[in-house]
């Protein structure tokens, strides 16, 4: 295994983006920024404007502390530099339907950042759990390879006997519980593997892209006839999904996609993260929703695969393929000839090309002269009338507690399937008068279902206290409003 | 009876047909800019073809790429004595640098497609200048060269083969970026490039022979 021969490591140091990231001068800035914007919130693509702003904020804070010298350039320059092929830490691309470029973290950079995160010393390095997992994997492989039905049945029976023994033990009350250390050990392995899984998605996507490129290269350099090429490519059906990468990914996706498993994951995660022994290790709160993160990342990858397959099929399209070959030939000849006439270029018209638009004159589409509208801005000062009006009326606001009203409606709808607005008001008199009535109506059109009976009129009355302390009775007449469950 | 049905059919299509034919006469119809119009067009393809045949036009529709436009029909046979109607779809004269620019953009697009992955080819003005620079006579004044190339770029944008992208909001002006529209594949095709190559060859021979006669004098 020549994995780490001198030449390999030397070339890694010179060309691998992950190594370059670790050695770069601005590594603290780059790593902390990329972790904060891509890895922590688990985002796959961020628009240029948003990313530039985030970097500006970080640079601003750093410049306050460390002065102008360490980071002299602008945020956009840094981003473009990081996305350049020489660095290769960010991928810059354009999406359909938007003129703005988007950025995504490259898998190499993600690996470097994950490695840095793992450097933090662990107080406890679990071993039991990993050994058990290894045994389980070996068992799966051995059983899976066994095609003889008898042997399989024998294995399954052995397992069933062990389970039966456990059941009888449990029935007697002997329930062996995992102690805190064993729990922590397993949880540590779970956290580690879950994070690695999430980090691997970018690499999965990159692998798909590489596969696609390789197929396209093969197509472009194909010397033989189209039929033979098609046979070769289509003989493998879909070259991308049928690769190792594709199959493993699809198996993963199918497994994760069942809602039953999702619920199972959520329940178990809740239970485990609530256990005191686990809580004491201060687990990463993101672990609670790790399966949703997997779904997000997996979905993104699925979309990429679908896009790649579609484009590949288009690329294989008949006319496009033949024409591309011919065009590249022609262009080579044209370039050579153009270079030879470089100094004595022809002037005037050289070629003609069709336009896709008909020459249509639309003389009546021209607008006629309209004198320009000049708005007259005068500098007048409005003179006040000099009266003293009590401005308190502007500031006194009725604050209506919508939550209390909603609660009131819900309580009543528990017993009955319908209730009219009038009954609601009778049961709970209006404290804030008309404002409260309007709040009821608003709730009826929003959070609750309400039917309005135009034919019948209801009258709703309430009492208010005016400025002098007199009690006034007010009544409103409105069509019957019925709140429905 | 059948005639009535057909009349009913065409009468029912009529409002949608005009909805489709008018934009086609005015230029290229893209699926991405107007999906409803595109779906009408797909539905009414045969009617559109019949309709524009009267104007000596053909409908060129590429479903995969998502664009459609009209082109003049070539005369079927030269023996046909009926006088040729004037072309509805005009032909534009292009200068040598602009023709070369179109060819180079087409090459970039072909390479880009072969590289795989993305569908939108976006180039900065700087990249296009570098692409074209080697084929233009060397100028001591670099700024003037860039200005010239800008005029060629504007011409290409006018023809609809390049699209200038909106600069990002609130930033100091970086160099403008252009998207190479895939419609260029339909117009700068192998036929047009073969024609360009022939003309170049003719011109080259003419230039060589005239320089020889000059030397002889």
């Amino acid at each position: 295994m020549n994995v780490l021969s001198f030449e390999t490591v030397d070339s890694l140091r010179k060309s691998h983006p992950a190594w370059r990231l670790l050695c770069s001068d601005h590594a603290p800035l780059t790593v902390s920024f990329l972790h904060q914007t891509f890895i922590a919130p688990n985002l796959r693509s961020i628009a240029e404007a948003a990313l530039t702003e985030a970097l500006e904020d970080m640079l601003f804070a750093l410049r306050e502390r460390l002065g102008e010298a360490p980071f002299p350039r602008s945020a956009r320059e840094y981003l473009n530099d990081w996305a350049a092929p020489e660095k290769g830490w960010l991928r810059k691309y354009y999406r359909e339907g938007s003129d703005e470029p988007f950025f995504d973290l490259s898998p190499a950079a993600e690996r470097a950042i994950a490695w840095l995160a793992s450097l933090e010393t662990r107080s406890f390095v679990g071993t039991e759990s990993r050994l058990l997992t290894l045994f389980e994997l070996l068992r799966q492989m051995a059983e899976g390879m066994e095609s003889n039905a008898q042997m399989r049945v024998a294995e399954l029976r052995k397992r069933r006997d062990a389970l039966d023994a456990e059941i009888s033990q449990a029935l007697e009350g002997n329930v062996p519980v995992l102690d805190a250390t064993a729990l922590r050990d397993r949880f540590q392995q779970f956290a580690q593997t879950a994070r690695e899984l999430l980090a691997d998605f970018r690499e999965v996507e990159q692998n798909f892209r590489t596969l696609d490129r390789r197929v396209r290269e093969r197509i472009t350099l194909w010397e033989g006839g189209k039929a033979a090429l098609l046979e070769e490519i289509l003989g493998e059906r879909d070259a991308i999904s049928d690769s190792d990468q594709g199959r493993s990914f699809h198996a993963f996706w199918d497994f994760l996609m069942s809602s039953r498993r999702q619920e199972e994951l959520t329940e178990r995660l809740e239970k485990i993260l609530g256990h005191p022994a686990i809580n004491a290790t201060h687990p990463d709160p993101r672990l609670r929703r790790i399966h949703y993160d997997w779904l997000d990342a997996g979905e993104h990858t699925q979309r990429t695969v679908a896009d790649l397959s579609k484009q590949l099929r288009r690329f294989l399209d008949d006319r496009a393929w033949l024409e591309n070959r011919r065009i590249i030939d022609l262009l080579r000849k044209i370039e050579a000839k153009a270079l030879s006439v470089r100094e004595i270029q022809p002037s005037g018209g050289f070629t003609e090309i069709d336009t896709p638009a008909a020459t249509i004159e639309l003389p009546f589409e021209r607008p006629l002269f309209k004198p320009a509208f000049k708005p007259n801005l005068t500098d007048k000062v409005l003179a006040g009338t000099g009266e003293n009006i009590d401005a308190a009326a502007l500031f006194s606001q009725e604050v209506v507690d919508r939550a209390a009203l909603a609660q009131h409606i819900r309580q009543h709808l528990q017993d009955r399937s319908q209730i009219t607005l009038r009954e609601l008001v009778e049961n709970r008199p209006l404290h804030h008068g008309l404002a409260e009535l309007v709040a009821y109506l608003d709730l009826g059109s929003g959070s609750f279902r309400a039917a309005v009976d135009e034919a019948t009129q209801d009258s709703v009355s309430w009492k208010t206290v005016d400025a002098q302390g007199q009690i006034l009775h007010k009544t409103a007449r409105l069509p019957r409003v019925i709140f429905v469950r | 009876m059948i005639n009535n049905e057909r009349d009913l059919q065409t009468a029912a299509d009529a409002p949608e047909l005009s909805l489709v034919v008018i934009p086609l006469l005015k230029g290229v119809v893209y699926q991405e800019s107007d999906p409803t119009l595109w779906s009408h067009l797909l539905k009414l393809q045969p009617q559109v073809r019949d309709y524009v045949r009267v104007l000596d036009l053909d409908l060129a529709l590429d479903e995969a790429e998502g664009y459609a436009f009209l082109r003049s029909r070539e005369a079927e046979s030269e023996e046909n004595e009926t006088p040729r109607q004037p072309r509805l779809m005009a032909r534009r004269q292009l200068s040598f640098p602009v023709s070369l620019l179109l060819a180079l953009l087409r090459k970039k697009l072909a390479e880009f497609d072969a590289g795989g992955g993305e569908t939108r080819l976006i180039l900065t003005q700087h990249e296009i200048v570098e692409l074209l620079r080697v084929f233009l006579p060397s100028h001591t004044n670099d700024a003037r060269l860039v200005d010239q190339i800008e005029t060629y770029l504007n011409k290409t944008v006018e023809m609809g083969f390049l699209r200038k992208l909106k600069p990002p909001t609130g930033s100091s002006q970086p160099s403008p970026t252009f998207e190479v529209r895939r419609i260029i594949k339909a117009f700068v095709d192998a036929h047009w490039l073969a024609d360009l190559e022939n003309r170049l060859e003719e011109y080259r021979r003419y230039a060589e022979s005239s320089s020889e006669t000059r030397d002889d004098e």
Side-chain angles (χ1 to χ4, degrees):
Chain A
M1 286 253 297
N2 259 354
V3 170
L4 285 180
S5 70
F6 179 82
E7 289 80 19
T8 330
V9 181
D10 196 32
S11 82
L12 272 181
R13 184 165 69 156
K14 291 202 190 99
S15 60
H16 201 276
W19 197 317
R20 268 203 296 262
L21 177 57
L22 295 172
C23 293
S24 87
D25 293 326
H26 290 317
L29 167 68
T30 320
V31 171
S32 59
F33 175 70
L34 292 177
H35 179 83
Q36 175 187 312
T37 44
F38 282 102
I39 299 189
N42 191 33
L43 287 176
R44 299 304 284 280
S45 62
I46 303 186
E48 182 179 36
L51 200 62
T52 325
E53 223 177 286
L55 186 54
E56 280 289 355
D57 285 344
M58 185 179 242
L59 284 173
F60 180 73
L62 284 172
R63 284 187 187 131
E64 296 260 294
R65 281 215 318 249
L66 307 170
E68 198 51 51
F71 308 116
R73 300 198 291 174
S74 79
R76 167 170 278 125
E77 284 172 8
Y78 279 122
L79 285 177
N80 281 330
D81 186 31
W82 296 343
E86 297 85 43
K87 299 268 169 75
W89 304 328
L90 283 175
R91 188 170 69 92
K92 186 174 181 181
Y93 60 99
Y94 287 86
R95 285 223 290 236
E96 292 290 329
S98 159
D99 281 354
E100 202 183 356
F102 280 75
F103 286 92
D104 188 15
L105 198 56
S106 73
E110 185 162 24
R111 249 320 175 105
I113 298 176
W115 181 76
L116 282 175
S118 75
L119 282 181
E120 171 191 348
T121 50
R122 296 181 283 174
S123 58
F124 161 58
V125 182
T127 42
E128 181 207 356
S129 162
R130 273 183 286 173
L131 191 57
L132 288 175
T133 313
L134 290 172
F135 265 94
E136 175 67 24
L137 283 172
L138 282 175
R139 187 190 63 77
Q140 268 179 24
M141 283 191 278
E143 272 189 28
M145 286 193 302
E146 188 59 69
S147 48
N148 184 341
Q150 295 284 40
M151 300 284 292
R152 270 291 186 95
V153 171
E155 282 290 327
L156 287 169
R157 282 224 179 92
K158 224 186 344 185
R159 256 199 283 165
R160 194 177 57 180
D161 291 338
L163 278 175
D164 281 335
E166 254 188 75
I167 291 176
S168 53
Q169 284 279 327
L171 283 173
E172 285 173 22
N174 266 348
V175 183
V177 181
L178 280 177
D179 68 349
T181 313
L183 271 178
R184 272 201 290 268
D185 185 359
R186 286 167 177 70
F187 185 73
Q188 194 186 65
Q189 193 194 5
F190 169 78
Q192 175 93 342
T193 319
R195 261 197 297 270
E196 276 172 15
L197 184 55
L198 193 57
D200 279 344
F201 275 106
R202 279 208 177 82
E203 204 176 332
V204 166
E205 221 179 284
Q206 170 112 325
N207 282 354
F208 279 130
R209 273 184 225 276
T210 317
L211 270 170
D212 173 66
R213 192 167 310 152
R214 230 177 277 147
V215 174
R216 284 189 192 228
E217 265 174 33
R218 226 168 30 156
I219 294 174
T220 323
L221 298 172
W222 190 255
E223 285 300 316
K226 177 76 176 302
L229 172 65
L230 276 180
E231 231 178 85
E232 166 130 351
I233 298 273
L234 295 181
E236 311 168 23
R237 288 210 58 228
D238 199 345
I240 298 179
S241 340
D242 271 0
S243 59
D244 267 351
Q245 182 71 82
R247 268 201 276 240
S248 168
F249 178 73
H250 282 300
F252 158 85
W253 188 250
D254 289 335
F255 190 86
L256 193 57
M257 271 311 259
S258 92
S259 63
R260 188 175 56 83
R261 293 214 183 90
Q262 297 279 323
E263 282 166 19
E264 198 181 308
L265 272 170
T266 323
E267 264 173 49
R268 292 218 175 131
L269 277 169
E270 284 289 333
K271 195 157 142 221
I272 292 171
L273 286 170
H275 195 279
I278 303 290
N279 242 332
T281 61
H282 304 290
D284 190 351
R286 261 166 48 216
L287 281 172
R288 194 179 294 271
R289 28 168 299 124
I290 191 80
H291 49 307
Y292 296 124
D293 284 346
W294 289 337
L295 273 181
D296 282 341
E299 198 186 312
H300 195 273
T301 312
Q302 285 277 43
R303 245 180 294 139
T304 310
V305 171
D307 278 343
L308 287 174
S309 299
K310 187 170 73 158
Q311 284 157 33
L312 193 59
R313 248 173 272 137
R314 226 200 286 167
F315 190 67
L316 272 177
D317 174 25
D318 220 346
R319 278 173 300 138
W321 187 76
L322 275 175
E323 189 142 328
N324 263 344
R325 307 292 301 278
R326 218 181 136 216
I327 282 176
I328 295 188
D329 264 343
L330 279 168
L331 281 160
R332 230 177 287 144
K333 291 195 206 131
I334 290 175
E335 280 184 326
K337 300 207 173 104
L339 273 176
S340 66
V341 297
R342 179 162 64 173
E343 301 301 327
I344 36 168
Q345 287 195 344
S347 54
F350 193 69
T351 55
E352 297 174 331
I353 197 164
D354 285 333
T355 52
T359 38
I360 304 175
E361 294 270 347
L362 296 169
F364 280 106
E365 289 293 305
R366 307 220 182 102
L368 296 175
F369 171 74
K370 240 199 308 223
F373 173 67
K374 283 209 263 288
N376 205 353
L377 297 168
T378 55
D379 223 354
K380 260 210 290 225
V381 175
L382 288 171
T385 52
E387 277 176 34
N388 267 339
I389 308 177
D390 181 14
L394 275 176
F395 296 107
S396 65
Q397 283 181 346
E398 297 281 0
V399 177
V400 177
D401 189 358
R402 287 171 58 108
L405 296 181
Q407 174 75 338
H408 178 61
I409 299 177
R410 237 175 266 130
Q411 253 176 333
H412 281 270
L413 283 178
Q414 269 172 1
D415 311 325
R416 311 160 49 165
S417 63
Q418 311 180 348
I419 184 165
T420 63
L421 180 57
R422 196 169 62 93
E423 285 166 7
L424 281 171
V425 170
E426 275 170 17
N427 288 337
R428 187 181 192 274
L430 299 174
H431 298 287
H432 300 283
L434 195 58
E436 200 168 319
L437 188 64
V438 174
Y440 270 117
L441 291 174
D442 187 32
L443 282 172
S445 66
S447 349
F448 294 90
R449 284 205 345 238
V452 178
D453 184 4
E454 300 277 338
T456 337
Q457 293 266 334
D458 265 346
S459 62
V460 176
S461 47
W462 65 94
K463 296 200 266 285
T464 55
V465 179
D466 73 354
Q468 275 79 39
Q470 296 253 357
I471 299 186
L472 300 171
H473 291 265
K474 296 209 178 166
T475 315
R477 254 192 298 276
L478 64 162
R480 175 167 291 174
V481 178
I482 309 171
F483 286 89
V484 183
R485 194 190 286 170
Chain B
M1 273 295 282
I2 301 173
N3 274 343
N4 274 351
E5 275 175 22
R6 255 204 74 178
D7 287 344
L8 278 174
Q9 174 79 355
T10 42
D13 292 334
E16 289 184 353
L17 189 60
S18 39
L19 214 64
V20 163
V21 171
I22 295 175
L24 273 174
L25 277 170
K26 294 186 79 162
V28 184
V29 170
Y30 288 97
Q31 177 183 23
E32 61 199 11
S33 45
D34 201 341
T36 34
L37 183 62
W38 183 259
S39 59
H40 286 319
L41 174 58
L42 288 180
K43 230 182 354 154
L44 294 173
Q45 252 193 80
Q47 286 94 319
V48 172
R49 280 183 212 273
D50 286 340
Y51 186 84
V52 297
R53 176 159 301 159
V54 171
L55 297 169
D56 242 356
L57 297 173
D58 250 339
L59 172 68
L61 172 76
D62 192 331
E63 251 186 271
E65 294 279 1
Y67 52 65
F69 56 93
L70 300 172
R71 46 160 49 121
S72 291
R73 293 178 71 208
E74 298 307 318
E76 269 119 23
S77 55
E78 290 308 313
E79 314 109 46
N80 209 339
E81 283 307 323
T82 56
R84 285 277 299 280
Q85 299 298 328
R87 295 176 67 91
L88 199 55
M89 298 296 181
R91 281 216 147 122
R92 289 178 84 136
Q93 289 270 338
L94 301 175
S95 65
F96 176 72
V98 176
S99 317
L100 196 55
L101 178 60
L102 288 183
L104 291 173
L105 288 176
R106 181 69 182 88
K107 172 172 175 224
K108 223 28 193 190
L109 188 62
E111 287 173 356
F112 181 72
D113 276 345
E118 317 287 333
T119 41
R120 297 177 69 185
L121 172 58
I122 311 228
L123 301 168
T124 60
Q125 181 167 303
H126 181 73
E127 284 170 350
I128 303 183
V129 166
E130 290 307 310
L131 203 61
L132 201 48
R133 190 196 284 266
V134 72
F135 296 99
L136 297 178
S138 47
H139 267 264
T140 48
N141 191 345
D142 196 51
R144 203 158 148 249
L145 180 71
V146 174
D147 282 340
Q148 265 187 353
I149 297 187
E150 262 182 38
T151 48
Y152 306 146
L153 284 176
N154 287 337
K155 193 94 198 288
T156 320
V157 171
E158 221 183 284
M159 287 193 279
F161 297 131
L162 276 182
R163 190 171 72 94
K164 201 165 187 173
L165 296 184
K166 293 190 285 282
T169 50
S171 68
S172 58
Q173 267 313 323
S175 77
T177 39
F178 297 88
E179 180 187 358
V180 179
R181 308 202 86 173
R182 298 186 75 85
I183 186 88
I184 201 175
K185 285 171 68 171
F187 286 91
V188 181
D189 56 2
H191 180 75
W192 188 85
L193 285 170
D195 184 49
L196 174 62
E197 198 217 337
N198 286 337
R199 290 182 199 230
L200 255 179
E201 182 60 32
E202 270 177 35
Y203 177 75
R204 194 176 66 86
R205 262 187 253 137
Y206 161 75
E208 261 171 33
S209 67
S210 70
S211 73
E212 278 168 18
T213 48
R214 254 204 309 262
D215 289 340
D216 290 343
E217 282 166 10

